[in-house]
Amino acid sequence: MMTLHTLNPIPNLLGERVMPLAPQLTLANGQRWIAQHYLRYQHSVESVSALLAQIDFDVHTPLFAGQDANGVYLQVGLIGRENYDRSNTLRAHKLVYGRKWRIDADTPTSEIIQTAFLAIKKAREHEVRELLTVRNGAGKTSAAFSNHHDLPLLTQQRDELRATARPAGAANVTATVLAQLATLRFAQRQIELLQVVELAGERVLLDFQLGAAPLARQLEGDFPEFAQLSFSVLLPVAQLHQLPYALMDALIAHSDRHVDETFRFRGFARFSRENAIQAIADLSLQTRPYARDLADAQFEQIFRANNYEVDASRAPALGAGELGRKNRQLIEQYANLLGHMPQGYVLTTNREQRA
């Protein structure tokens, strides 16, 4: 039986099945559809591969689907240059991989597509974090925002790492900002201060632009969406020492917006801000006439049983040792907690009653 809501003529490949007695929708434009919440899913590495093949982003970001002993996963590849090589020569391309994102068999198709979207964002964020560098007093450069630092060591050294706020005062804002910018680079570009706008004496709006990259970096052409980028950050005057974090936030936000506008499934930029949010809301509401659909007692039973089964299957184990104790203590703070409890969880009062 062909799944009505998909363009693919082989629904088996997409891992989708229509629930028995599921109602059909007639949309405002006359198109007939079966809502995704009335489908059952049994995805496999083949169906995930078929979905990823319908996603387009850019020539630097291949998507992979695989399966190992722990199940099906998707993974992002990035083709670029070694971030830690800051020489003035052209660098060879290198293929690196992000983490594996696990895909349960009963994951809805839309959620798999959205997982790929998020995986691309996070893989790019990993790279962006390595590109904002800090130079110390000895003139050495560190990727201080990268994800490769030793967290247990940082925890041990927490007292040494605590920033001391140094309120600059409105008169010293520009000097304070310029002093910090002198130690910062993004992809070997200077970060230029364009304008300082004081807001009620307590906050400042800072306008920046990324300078030109070294010639070798320009010829390589990586991350062209950052070329000559202008952006702004807003900071309290008393927190100017947090400027590097605000810059990092702004650069990651720019990367995320690039993904929003570039990521496409079947040619559609689902997350673009050129889509009218009111139109999306109206279409969503058309697919959810629950009062009508669940008036069918037989279908209501099928629908609720399916949802229960899926939700129950996603409940994790409570955890062993200290983790289990902490999870139990947290859960038991809430009286009459709804939802599926973790596997292995039994209320303390119930255990005491049985004893």
Side-chain angles (χ1 to χ4, degrees):
M1 175 181 178
M2 182 174 175
T3 301
L4 297 181
H5 89 296
T6 177
L7 301 179
N8 195 313
I10 310 174
N12 288 344
L13 187 61
L14 286 179
E16 300 175 348
R17 291 289 186 277
V18 179
M19 291 181 191
L21 305 179
Q24 296 181 16
L25 297 165
T26 301
L27 302 177
N29 62 3
Q31 184 175 2
R32 302 192 73 184
W33 207 258
I34 291 183
Q36 66 173 358
H37 38 276
Y38 295 156
L39 300 179
R40 287 175 171 169
Y41 300 93
Q42 191 60 42
H43 279 290
S44 63
V45 66
E46 290 80 13
S47 65
V48 173
S49 295
L51 287 170
L52 297 188
Q54 299 175 75
I55 292 173
D56 294 303
F57 183 61
D58 65 21
V59 297
H60 301 284
T61 315
L63 294 172
F64 302 92
Q67 186 169 13
D68 57 22
N70 296 312
V72 178
Y73 61 87
L74 67 80
Q75 196 168 10
V76 174
L78 288 174
I79 299 173
R81 271 81 175 192
E82 175 55 63
N83 292 335
Y84 294 95
D85 179 354
R86 304 184 185 98
S87 65
N88 291 319
T89 59
L90 291 174
R91 304 167 297 184
H93 281 93
K94 180 179 181 180
L95 174 60
V96 296
Y97 303 98
R99 54 153 287 188
K100 294 177 180 178
W101 295 73
R102 296 291 168 183
I103 304 296
D104 294 330
D106 59 6
T107 303
T109 298
S110 290
E111 291 184 18
I112 295 174
I113 299 164
Q114 290 173 159
T115 298
F117 171 76
L118 180 60
I120 290 173
K121 280 194 169 185
K122 288 304 175 184
R124 284 173 54 88
E125 178 182 329
H126 185 103
E127 299 301 302
V128 170
R129 285 184 172 277
E130 293 180 351
L131 293 174
L132 184 60
T133 58
V134 182
R135 189 175 70 248
N136 71 2
K140 295 184 177 181
T141 298
S142 169
F145 286 95
S146 84
N147 296 310
H148 297 296
H149 295 286
D150 186 334
L151 282 177
L153 174 62
L154 295 179
T155 299
Q156 186 186 65
Q157 299 292 313
R158 70 186 74 186
D159 293 338
E160 303 295 326
L161 302 176
R162 188 71 178 171
T164 302
R166 302 178 184 88
N172 297 320
V173 166
T174 299
T176 301
V177 170
L178 289 174
Q180 293 186 78
L181 292 181
T183 69
L184 301 171
R185 294 290 184 274
F186 180 74
Q188 296 180 260
R189 299 175 172 94
Q190 291 186 352
I191 305 173
E192 301 172 5
L193 178 64
L194 300 180
Q195 183 177 217
V196 177
V197 179
E198 298 179 19
L199 304 174
E202 296 182 359
R203 296 185 299 167
V204 289
L205 179 67
L206 305 168
D207 293 332
F208 299 100
Q209 183 173 39
L210 295 182
L215 180 59
R217 301 294 86 83
Q218 294 180 40
L219 294 174
E220 289 172 351
D222 287 352
F223 292 96
E225 63 275 11
F226 285 99
Q228 302 300 309
L229 174 67
S230 296
F231 61 97
S232 302
V233 304
L234 183 65
L235 276 175
V237 173
Q239 296 178 6
L240 288 179
H241 62 287
Q242 295 182 8
L243 175 63
Y245 293 95
L247 294 173
M248 187 78 269
D249 289 344
L251 294 165
I252 292 172
H254 182 72
S255 174
D256 285 349
R257 287 286 294 114
H258 176 72
V259 181
D260 292 344
E261 298 300 327
T262 309
F263 181 95
R264 282 167 168 73
F265 176 70
R266 293 178 179 168
F268 173 54
R270 159 64 183 93
F271 304 98
S272 170
R273 297 189 186 185
E274 295 303 312
N275 297 323
I277 198 65
Q278 187 63 55
I280 292 174
D282 290 342
L283 183 59
S284 177
L285 290 170
Q286 290 180 55
T287 68
R288 289 169 168 79
Y290 289 124
R292 182 205 72 180
D293 296 345
L294 300 184
D296 182 333
Q298 282 186 285
F299 176 66
E300 180 188 23
Q301 185 176 8
I302 293 169
F303 176 69
R304 296 196 186 283
N306 181 81
N307 287 351
Y308 182 91
E309 179 183 338
V310 170
D311 290 345
S313 71
R314 293 179 179 173
L318 179 66
E322 178 62 13
L323 178 61
R325 187 198 66 78
K326 289 182 67 175
N327 286 339
R328 178 183 298 283
Q329 184 180 48
L330 188 153
I331 291 170
E332 291 185 351
Q333 293 180 48
Y334 300 90
N336 303 317
L337 184 63
L338 301 177
H340 296 274
M341 295 303 104
Q343 300 169 32
Y345 174 78
V346 180
L347 277 172
T348 303
T349 53
N350 290 344
R351 289 204 316 272
E352 292 171 349
Q353 289 172 1
R354 285 196 300 271

Coordinates of all heavy atoms in Angstrom, one line a residue, residues 207-277:
D207 N 29.7 47.2 17.4 CA 29.6 46.7 16.0 C 31.0 46.3 15.6 O 32.0 47.1 15.8 CB 29.1 47.9 15.1 CG 27.6 48.2 15.4 OD1 26.9 47.3 15.8 OD2 27.3 49.4 15.1
F208 N 31.1 45.1 15.0 CA 32.3 44.6 14.6 C 32.3 44.2 13.1 O 31.3 44.0 12.5 CB 32.7 43.3 15.4 CG 32.8 43.6 16.8 CD1 31.8 43.3 17.7 CD2 34.0 44.1 17.4 CE1 31.9 43.5 19.1 CE2 34.1 44.3 18.7 CZ 33.0 44.0 19.6
Q209 N 33.5 44.0 12.5 CA 33.6 43.4 11.2 C 34.9 42.5 11.2 O 35.9 42.9 11.8 CB 33.7 44.5 10.1 CG 33.8 43.9 8.7 CD 33.7 44.9 7.6 OE1 34.3 46.0 7.8 NE2 33.0 44.7 6.6
L210 N 34.8 41.4 10.5 CA 35.9 40.5 10.4 C 36.8 41.1 9.3 O 36.4 41.4 8.2 CB 35.5 39.1 10.0 CG 34.7 38.3 11.1 CD1 34.4 36.9 10.6 CD2 35.5 38.3 12.4
G211 N 38.1 41.2 9.6 CA 39.1 41.7 8.6 C 39.4 40.6 7.6 O 38.8 39.5 7.5
A212 N 40.3 41.0 6.6 CA 40.6 40.1 5.6 C 41.5 38.9 6.1 O 42.3 39.1 7.0 CB 41.4 40.8 4.5
A213 N 41.3 37.7 5.6 CA 42.1 36.6 5.9 C 43.4 36.7 5.2 O 43.6 37.4 4.2 CB 41.3 35.3 5.5
P214 N 44.4 36.0 5.8 CA 45.7 35.9 5.0 C 45.5 35.3 3.6 O 44.5 34.6 3.4 CB 46.5 34.9 5.9 CG 45.9 35.0 7.3 CD 44.5 35.3 7.0
L215 N 46.4 35.7 2.7 CA 46.2 35.3 1.3 C 46.0 33.8 1.1 O 45.1 33.4 0.4 CB 47.4 35.7 0.5 CG 47.4 35.4 -1.0 CD1 46.2 36.0 -1.7 CD2 48.7 35.8 -1.7
A216 N 46.7 33.0 1.9 CA 46.6 31.5 1.7 C 45.2 31.1 2.1 O 44.6 30.2 1.5 CB 47.6 30.8 2.6
R217 N 44.6 31.7 3.2 CA 43.3 31.4 3.7 C 42.3 31.8 2.6 O 41.3 31.2 2.4 CB 43.0 32.0 5.0 CG 43.9 31.6 6.2 CD 43.8 30.2 6.6 NE 44.7 29.3 5.8 CZ 46.0 29.1 6.0 NH1 46.6 29.7 7.0 NH2 46.7 28.3 5.2
Q218 N 42.5 33.0 2.0 CA 41.6 33.5 1.0 C 41.5 32.5 -0.2 O 40.4 32.2 -0.7 CB 42.0 34.9 0.5 CG 41.9 35.9 1.6 CD 42.3 37.3 1.1 OE1 42.0 37.7 0.0 NE2 43.0 38.0 1.9
L219 N 42.7 32.0 -0.6 CA 42.7 31.1 -1.7 C 42.1 29.8 -1.4 O 41.5 29.1 -2.3 CB 44.2 30.9 -2.1 CG 44.9 32.1 -2.7 CD1 46.4 31.8 -3.0 CD2 44.2 32.5 -4.0
E220 N 42.1 29.4 -0.1 CA 41.5 28.1 0.3 C 40.0 28.2 0.3 O 39.3 27.3 -0.1 CB 42.0 27.7 1.7 CG 43.4 27.2 1.7 CD 43.9 27.0 3.1 OE1 43.2 27.4 4.1 OE2 45.0 26.5 3.3
G221 N 39.5 29.4 0.6 CA 38.0 29.7 0.5 C 37.1 28.9 1.5 O 35.9 28.8 1.3
D222 N 37.7 28.4 2.6 CA 36.8 27.7 3.6 C 35.9 28.7 4.3 O 36.3 29.9 4.6 CB 37.7 27.0 4.7 CG 38.4 25.8 4.1 OD1 38.0 25.4 2.9 OD2 39.2 25.2 4.8
F223 N 34.7 28.3 4.7 CA 33.7 29.1 5.4 C 33.6 30.5 4.8 O 33.7 31.5 5.4 CB 34.1 29.2 6.9 CG 34.0 28.0 7.7 CD1 35.2 27.2 7.9 CD2 32.8 27.5 8.2 CE1 35.1 26.0 8.6 CE2 32.8 26.4 8.9 CZ 33.9 25.6 9.1
P224 N 33.2 30.5 3.5 CA 33.1 31.8 2.8 C 32.0 32.7 3.4 O 32.0 33.9 3.2 CB 32.8 31.5 1.4 CG 32.2 30.1 1.4 CD 32.9 29.4 2.6
E225 N 31.1 32.1 4.1 CA 30.0 32.9 4.7 C 30.4 33.9 5.8 O 29.7 34.7 6.2 CB 28.9 32.0 5.2 CG 29.3 31.1 6.3 CD 29.9 29.8 5.9 OE1 30.2 29.7 4.7 OE2 30.0 28.9 6.7
F226 N 31.7 33.7 6.2 CA 32.2 34.6 7.2 C 33.1 35.7 6.6 O 33.5 36.6 7.4 CB 33.1 33.8 8.2 CG 32.3 33.0 9.2 CD1 32.1 31.6 9.0 CD2 31.8 33.6 10.3 CE1 31.4 30.9 9.9 CE2 31.0 32.8 11.2 CZ 30.8 31.5 11.0
A227 N 33.3 35.7 5.3 CA 34.1 36.7 4.7 C 33.5 38.1 4.9 O 32.3 38.4 4.6 CB 34.3 36.4 3.2
Q228 N 34.3 39.0 5.5 CA 33.9 40.4 5.7 C 32.6 40.6 6.5 O 31.8 41.5 6.3 CB 33.7 41.2 4.3 CG 35.0 41.2 3.5 CD 36.2 41.8 4.1 OE1 36.1 43.0 4.6 NE2 37.3 41.2 4.2
L229 N 32.4 39.6 7.3 CA 31.1 39.6 8.1 C 31.1 40.8 9.1 O 32.0 41.1 9.8 CB 31.1 38.3 9.0 CG 29.9 38.2 9.9 CD1 28.6 38.1 9.2 CD2 30.1 36.9 10.9
S230 N 29.9 41.5 9.1 CA 29.7 42.5 10.1 C 28.6 42.0 11.1 O 27.6 41.3 10.6 CB 29.1 43.8 9.4 OG 30.1 44.3 8.6
F231 N 28.8 42.2 12.3 CA 27.9 41.8 13.4 C 28.0 42.6 14.6 O 28.9 43.4 14.7 CB 28.1 40.3 13.7 CG 29.5 40.0 14.3 CD1 29.7 40.0 15.6 CD2 30.6 39.9 13.4 CE1 31.0 39.7 16.2 CE2 31.9 39.6 14.0 CZ 32.0 39.6 15.3
S232 N 27.0 42.5 15.5 CA 26.9 43.3 16.7 C 26.8 42.4 17.9 O 26.2 41.3 17.8 CB 25.8 44.3 16.6 OG 25.9 45.1 15.5
V233 N 27.2 42.9 19.1 CA 27.0 42.2 20.3 C 26.5 43.3 21.3 O 26.9 44.5 21.2 CB 28.2 41.5 20.9 CG1 28.7 40.4 19.9 CG2 29.3 42.4 21.3
L234 N 25.7 42.9 22.3 CA 25.3 43.8 23.4 C 25.8 43.3 24.7 O 25.6 42.1 25.0 CB 23.7 43.8 23.3 CG 23.0 44.8 24.3 CD1 23.3 46.2 24.0 CD2 21.5 44.5 24.3
L235 N 26.4 44.2 25.4 CA 27.0 43.8 26.7 C 26.8 44.9 27.8 O 26.8 46.1 27.5 CB 28.5 43.6 26.6 CG 29.1 42.3 26.1 CD1 30.6 42.3 25.9 CD2 28.7 41.1 27.0
P236 N 26.6 44.4 29.0 CA 26.6 45.4 30.1 C 28.0 46.0 30.3 O 29.0 45.3 30.1 CB 26.2 44.6 31.3 CG 25.5 43.4 30.8 CD 26.2 43.1 29.5
V237 N 28.1 47.2 30.6 CA 29.4 47.8 30.8 C 30.2 47.1 31.9 O 31.4 46.9 31.7 CB 29.3 49.3 31.2 CG1 30.6 50.0 31.5 CG2 28.6 50.1 30.0
A238 N 29.5 46.6 32.9 CA 30.2 45.9 34.0 C 30.7 44.5 33.6 O 31.3 43.9 34.4 CB 29.3 45.8 35.2
Q239 N 30.3 44.1 32.4 CA 30.7 42.7 32.0 C 31.5 42.7 30.7 O 31.4 41.7 29.9 CB 29.4 41.8 31.8 CG 28.7 41.6 33.1 CD 27.4 40.8 33.0 OE1 27.1 40.3 31.9 NE2 26.7 40.7 34.1
L240 N 32.3 43.7 30.4 CA 33.1 43.7 29.2 C 34.1 42.6 29.1 O 34.6 42.3 28.1 CB 33.7 45.1 29.1 CG 32.8 46.3 28.7 CD1 33.7 47.6 28.6 CD2 32.1 46.0 27.4
H241 N 34.4 42.1 30.3 CA 35.4 41.0 30.3 C 34.8 39.7 29.6 O 35.5 38.8 29.3 CB 35.8 40.6 31.7 CG 34.7 40.2 32.6 ND1 33.7 41.0 33.1 CD2 34.3 38.9 33.1 CE1 32.8 40.4 33.8 NE2 33.2 39.1 33.8
Q242 N 33.5 39.7 29.4 CA 32.8 38.6 28.8 C 32.8 38.8 27.3 O 32.1 38.0 26.6 CB 31.4 38.4 29.3 CG 31.4 38.0 30.8 CD 30.0 37.8 31.3 OE1 29.0 37.8 30.6 NE2 29.9 37.6 32.6
L243 N 33.4 39.8 26.7 CA 33.4 40.0 25.3 C 33.8 38.8 24.4 O 33.1 38.5 23.5 CB 34.3 41.2 24.9 CG 34.4 41.5 23.4 CD1 33.1 41.9 22.8 CD2 35.5 42.6 23.2
P244 N 34.8 38.1 24.8 CA 35.2 36.9 23.9 C 34.0 35.9 23.8 O 33.8 35.3 22.7 CB 36.4 36.3 24.6 CG 37.0 37.5 25.3 CD 35.9 38.3 25.8
Y245 N 33.3 35.7 24.9 CA 32.1 34.8 24.9 C 31.0 35.4 24.0 O 30.4 34.6 23.3 CB 31.6 34.6 26.3 CG 32.6 33.8 27.2 CD1 33.5 34.5 28.0 CD2 32.6 32.4 27.2 CE1 34.3 33.8 28.8 CE2 33.5 31.7 28.0 CZ 34.4 32.4 28.8 OH 35.3 31.7 29.6
A246 N 30.8 36.7 24.1 CA 29.8 37.3 23.2 C 30.1 37.2 21.8 O 29.3 36.9 20.9 CB 29.6 38.7 23.6
L247 N 31.4 37.3 21.5 CA 31.9 37.2 20.1 C 31.6 35.7 19.6 O 31.2 35.5 18.5 CB 33.3 37.5 19.9 CG 33.7 39.0 20.2 CD1 35.2 39.2 20.2 CD2 33.1 39.9 19.1
M248 N 32.0 34.8 20.5 CA 31.8 33.4 20.1 C 30.3 33.1 19.9 O 30.0 32.4 18.9 CB 32.3 32.5 21.3 CG 32.3 31.0 20.9 SD 33.7 30.5 19.9 CE 33.0 30.7 18.2
D249 N 29.4 33.6 20.7 CA 28.0 33.4 20.5 C 27.5 33.9 19.2 O 26.8 33.3 18.5 CB 27.2 34.1 21.7 CG 27.4 33.4 23.0 OD1 27.8 32.2 23.0 OD2 27.0 34.1 24.0
A250 N 28.0 35.1 18.8 CA 27.6 35.8 17.6 C 28.1 35.0 16.4 O 27.4 34.8 15.4 CB 28.1 37.2 17.5
L251 N 29.3 34.4 16.4 CA 29.9 33.7 15.3 C 29.1 32.3 15.1 O 28.9 31.9 14.0 CB 31.4 33.5 15.5 CG 32.2 34.7 15.5 CD1 33.6 34.5 16.0 CD2 32.3 35.3 14.0
I252 N 28.8 31.7 16.3 CA 28.0 30.4 16.2 C 26.6 30.7 15.6 O 26.1 30.0 14.8 CB 28.0 29.8 17.6 CG1 29.4 29.2 18.0 CG2 27.0 28.6 17.6 CD1 29.4 28.7 19.4
A253 N 26.0 31.8 16.1 CA 24.7 32.2 15.6 C 24.7 32.4 14.1 O 23.8 32.0 13.4 CB 24.2 33.4 16.3
H254 N 25.8 33.0 13.6 CA 25.9 33.2 12.1 C 26.0 31.9 11.4 O 25.4 31.7 10.4 CB 27.1 34.1 11.8 CG 27.3 34.4 10.4 ND1 26.4 35.3 9.7 CD2 28.1 34.0 9.4 CE1 26.8 35.4 8.4 NE2 27.8 34.6 8.3
S255 N 26.8 31.0 12.0 CA 26.9 29.7 11.4 C 25.6 29.0 11.4 O 25.1 28.4 10.3 CB 27.9 28.8 12.1 OG 28.0 27.5 11.7
D256 N 24.8 29.0 12.5 CA 23.5 28.4 12.6 C 22.5 29.0 11.5 O 21.7 28.2 10.9 CB 23.0 28.5 14.0 CG 23.6 27.6 15.0 OD1 24.4 26.7 14.6 OD2 23.4 27.8 16.2
R257 N 22.6 30.3 11.4 CA 21.6 30.9 10.4 C 22.0 30.5 9.0 O 21.1 30.4 8.2 CB 21.7 32.5 10.6 CG 21.0 33.0 11.8 CD 19.5 33.0 11.7 NE 19.1 33.9 10.7 CZ 18.4 33.5 9.5 NH1 18.2 32.2 9.3 NH2 18.1 34.4 8.7
H258 N 23.3 30.3 8.7 CA 23.7 29.8 7.4 C 23.1 28.5 7.2 O 22.6 28.2 6.0 CB 25.2 29.8 7.3 CG 25.7 29.2 6.1 ND1 25.7 29.9 4.9 CD2 26.3 28.0 5.8 CE1 26.2 29.1 3.9 NE2 26.6 28.0 4.4
V259 N 23.1 27.6 8.2 CA 22.5 26.3 8.0 C 21.0 26.4 7.8 O 20.4 25.7 7.0 CB 22.8 25.4 9.2 CG1 22.2 24.0 9.0 CG2 24.3 25.3 9.4
D260 N 20.3 27.3 8.6 CA 18.9 27.5 8.4 C 18.5 27.8 7.0 O 17.5 27.2 6.5 CB 18.4 28.7 9.3 CG 18.5 28.5 10.8 OD1 18.7 27.3 11.2 OD2 18.5 29.5 11.5
E261 N 19.3 28.6 6.3 CA 18.9 29.0 5.0 C 19.4 28.1 3.9 O 18.9 28.1 2.8 CB 19.5 30.4 4.7 CG 18.9 31.5 5.6 CD 17.4 31.7 5.5 OE1 16.8 31.4 4.4 OE2 16.8 32.0 6.6
T262 N 20.4 27.2 4.2 CA 21.0 26.4 3.2 C 20.5 25.0 3.2 O 20.5 24.3 2.1 CB 22.6 26.4 3.4 OG1 23.0 27.8 3.5 CG2 23.3 25.8 2.2
F263 N 20.1 24.5 4.3 CA 19.7 23.1 4.5 C 18.4 22.9 3.7 O 17.4 23.6 4.0 CB 19.5 22.8 6.0 CG 19.1 21.3 6.3 CD1 20.1 20.4 6.6 CD2 17.8 21.0 6.3 CE1 19.7 19.1 6.9 CE2 17.4 19.7 6.6 CZ 18.3 18.7 6.9
R264 N 18.3 21.8 2.9 CA 17.1 21.6 2.1 C 16.8 20.1 2.1 O 17.7 19.2 2.0 CB 17.3 22.1 0.7 CG 17.1 23.6 0.6 CD 17.5 24.1 -0.8 NE 17.0 25.5 -1.0 CZ 17.5 26.5 -0.3 NH1 18.5 26.4 0.5 NH2 17.0 27.7 -0.5
F265 N 15.5 19.8 2.3 CA 15.1 18.4 2.1 C 14.1 18.4 0.9 O 13.1 19.1 0.9 CB 14.3 17.9 3.4 CG 13.7 16.5 3.2 CD1 14.5 15.4 3.1 CD2 12.4 16.4 3.1 CE1 14.0 14.1 2.9 CE2 11.8 15.1 3.0 CZ 12.6 14.0 2.9
R266 N 14.4 17.6 -0.1 CA 13.6 17.6 -1.3 C 13.5 19.0 -1.9 O 12.5 19.4 -2.4 CB 12.3 17.0 -1.1 CG 12.3 15.5 -0.8 CD 10.9 14.9 -0.6 NE 11.0 13.5 -0.3 CZ 9.9 12.8 0.2 NH1 8.8 13.4 0.4 NH2 10.1 11.5 0.4
G267 N 14.6 19.8 -1.8 CA 14.6 21.1 -2.3 C 13.9 22.2 -1.5 O 13.9 23.4 -1.9
F268 N 13.4 21.8 -0.4 CA 12.6 22.8 0.5 C 13.5 23.2 1.7 O 13.9 22.3 2.4 CB 11.3 22.1 1.0 CG 10.6 23.0 2.0 CD1 10.2 24.3 1.7 CD2 10.2 22.4 3.2 CE1 9.5 25.1 2.6 CE2 9.5 23.2 4.1 CZ 9.2 24.5 3.8
A269 N 13.7 24.5 1.8 CA 14.4 25.0 3.0 C 13.5 25.2 4.2 O 13.0 26.2 4.5 CB 15.0 26.4 2.6
R270 N 13.2 24.1 4.8 CA 12.3 24.0 5.9 C 12.5 25.0 7.0 O 11.6 25.6 7.6 CB 12.3 22.6 6.5 CG 11.7 22.4 8.0 CD 10.2 22.8 8.0 NE 9.7 22.7 9.4 CZ 9.7 23.8 10.2 NH1 10.1 25.0 9.8 NH2 9.2 23.6 11.4
F271 N 13.8 25.3 7.3 CA 14.1 26.2 8.5 C 14.4 27.6 8.1 O 14.8 28.4 8.9 CB 15.2 25.5 9.3 CG 14.9 24.1 9.7 CD1 15.4 23.1 9.0 CD2 14.1 23.9 10.8 CE1 15.1 21.8 9.4 CE2 13.8 22.6 11.2 CZ 14.3 21.5 10.5
S272 N 14.2 27.9 6.8 CA 14.5 29.3 6.4 C 13.5 30.3 7.0 O 12.3 30.0 7.1 CB 14.4 29.4 4.8 OG 14.4 30.7 4.4
R273 N 14.0 31.4 7.3 CA 13.1 32.5 7.8 C 12.3 33.2 6.7 O 11.5 34.1 7.0 CB 13.9 33.5 8.7 CG 14.5 32.8 9.9 CD 15.1 33.7 10.8 NE 15.8 33.0 11.9 CZ 16.4 33.5 12.9 NH1 16.4 34.9 13.1 NH2 17.1 32.8 13.8
E274 N 12.5 32.8 5.5 CA 11.6 33.3 4.4 C 10.3 32.5 4.4 O 9.4 33.0 3.7 CB 12.3 33.1 3.1 CG 13.6 33.9 3.0 CD 13.3 35.4 3.2 OE1 12.4 36.0 2.6 OE2 14.1 36.1 4.0
N275 N 10.1 31.5 5.1 CA 8.9 30.8 5.3 C 8.0 31.6 6.2 O 8.4 32.1 7.2 CB 9.0 29.4 5.8 CG 9.8 28.5 4.9 OD1 9.7 28.6 3.6 ND2 10.7 27.6 5.4
A276 N 6.7 31.7 5.8 CA 5.7 32.4 6.7 C 5.3 31.6 7.9 O 4.7 30.5 7.7 CB 4.5 32.8 5.9
I277 N 5.6 32.0 9.1 CA 5.4 31.1 10.2 C 3.8 30.9 10.4 O 3.4 29.9 10.9 CB 6.0 31.7 11.5 CG1 6.1 30.6 12.6 CG2 5.3 32.9 12.0 CD1 7.0 29.5 12.2

